[in-house]
Amino acid sequence: MGRSRPPVRPGRISPMRGTPATVVPPEYVDNAGRATGAPWDRDDPPVKDAETVERMRVAGRIAALARDEVGRHVVPGVTTDELDRIGHEFLLDHGAFPSTLGYKGFPKSLCSSVNEVVCHGIPDDVALVEGDVVKIDVTAYVDGVHGDTCGTFFAGEPAEDVKLLSERTHEAMMRGIRAARPGRPVSVIGRVIEAYAKRFDYGVIRDFTGHGVGYSFHTKPTIWPYDEPRGTTLIQAGMTFTVEPMLTLGGFAWEMWDDGWTVVTRDKSWVAQWEHTLHITEDGAEILTLAG
């Protein structure tokens, strides 16, 4: 079940970080992360034109660079609030607005989900300890589009089962990406993810999914990480969406903290998550959230 440690508990959350007027925020917030009254997301066309995809390549690469920069600072003793500061400043330095800042009231510039936290963990003043696993979910908004990505990082040396969970979650994501080809239903992505996860008796989180992304942070289509019969939408060249499996060392049942964001496994089993934003081409998928 992962390293022996008491369950994660919430810490103190520092004030929301602002952004300079030179960095253009999404329409749903201003530069202080305050809601503007515009829709959080819109019903974007699933297929994007070449010019939009090119802008998404820029946003995706900045998000990937931020993810990896934050990941380099995941060490015992660092707080997730400090990781948030690093990610926040990196995005601003690259002309990007942190998409999560103020989104539906989220108070921070990235999600930091520790150990049994499945997703949407709010950075706070609790320090990581040796063996902790933290999922860093970063989204960059640049030139009217979002690039969304997540990676799993370790504070020090993880337990072997946790290390393997991360490696296999990454492989599950990559198998899902390779399955994403024009003409196939989106359900094929979750089918291959779930089949691979079952080899190791991992739980597959079902209620938090991949999604369309582009002008909106979250839009259609839904990309389930398991074999979901509702996933009948056919994949088309030009689509942009995320693939983001969250696999656990136990079950897939979850519960939410009183903050309305932090999702944890009900059995307190530890979780890994990986996420890439994709652009579907005529013969497969281009990953837009690579740092290289």
Side-chain angles (χ1 to χ4, degrees):
M1 297 290 284
R3 185 182 184 280
S4 176
R5 186 186 168 186
V8 174
R9 293 288 183 262
R12 289 174 294 182
I13 300 171
S14 64
M16 186 179 289
R17 294 180 167 90
T19 65
T22 53
V23 176
V24 179
E27 64 176 349
Y28 50 77
V29 292
D30 63 16
N31 284 97
R34 295 175 299 224
T36 62
W40 298 112
D41 294 296
R42 297 184 183 275
D43 194 19
D44 295 0
V47 174
K48 311 300 192 296
D49 60 34
E51 188 272 337
T52 300
V53 172
E54 182 55 36
R55 285 187 284 136
M56 290 186 67
R57 288 190 183 99
V58 174
R61 184 170 185 273
I62 292 172
L65 289 168
R67 175 200 64 212
D68 292 352
E69 178 63 19
V70 174
R72 281 190 282 273
H73 291 82
V74 173
V75 294
V78 73
T79 66
T80 52
D81 185 67
E82 174 63 8
L83 297 177
D84 180 76
R85 183 195 65 78
I86 292 166
H88 179 88
E89 293 181 0
F90 187 95
L91 290 171
L92 296 184
D93 287 346
H94 288 76
F97 188 94
S99 303
T100 62
L101 187 65
Y103 178 76
K104 297 184 179 181
F106 191 82
K108 290 296 176 180
S109 297
L110 54 79
C111 298
S112 56
S113 302
V114 179
N115 300 347
E116 71 269 18
V117 179
V118 175
C119 58
H120 305 160
I122 301 174
D124 60 24
D125 69 346
V126 176
L128 301 177
V129 302
E130 177 73 24
D132 278 352
V133 56
V134 56
K135 288 76 72 179
I136 299 296
D137 195 338
V138 180
T139 309
Y141 179 80
V142 186
D143 200 13
V145 294
H146 302 266
D148 189 6
T149 187
C150 181
T152 294
F153 301 94
F154 305 114
E157 186 62 30
E160 183 65 17
D161 58 350
V162 177
K163 180 180 179 181
L164 287 173
L165 175 68
S166 176
E167 292 174 356
R168 291 165 176 167
T169 302
H170 185 273
E171 175 62 18
M173 174 187 66
M174 294 306 299
R175 288 179 180 229
I177 290 170
R178 290 192 291 269
R181 303 175 69 88
R184 295 177 173 177
V186 295
S187 60
V188 70
I189 297 170
R191 187 176 308 133
V192 299
I193 288 172
E194 184 176 40
Y196 182 72
K198 281 184 173 179
R199 295 187 191 182
F200 312 103
D201 294 324
Y202 293 153
V204 181
I205 297 295
R206 302 170 74 85
D207 297 320
F208 299 91
T209 69
H211 51 87
V213 63
Y215 320 116
S216 294
F217 192 173
H218 300 91
T219 187
K220 61 185 179 184
T222 299
I223 308 298
W224 288 275
Y226 60 95
D227 191 4
E228 170 54 67
R230 290 175 291 168
T232 57
T233 299
L234 293 182
I235 299 170
Q236 302 175 62
M239 279 185 168
T240 55
F241 55 75
T242 71
V243 173
E244 48 180 307
M246 306 167 202
L247 304 186
T248 86
L249 289 170
F252 59 77
W254 57 271
E255 54 196 22
M256 186 176 290
W257 286 359
D258 292 341
D259 61 25
W261 285 104
T262 307
V263 177
V264 298
T265 52
R266 188 171 298 165
D267 61 9
K268 302 302 183 285
S269 60
W270 286 21
V271 184
Q273 179 191 6
W274 288 89
E275 175 186 15
H276 276 311
T277 295
L278 308 183
H279 163 235
I280 301 301
T281 66
E282 294 291 345
D283 57 1
E286 172 192 8
I287 298 175
L288 299 181
T289 43
L290 295 176

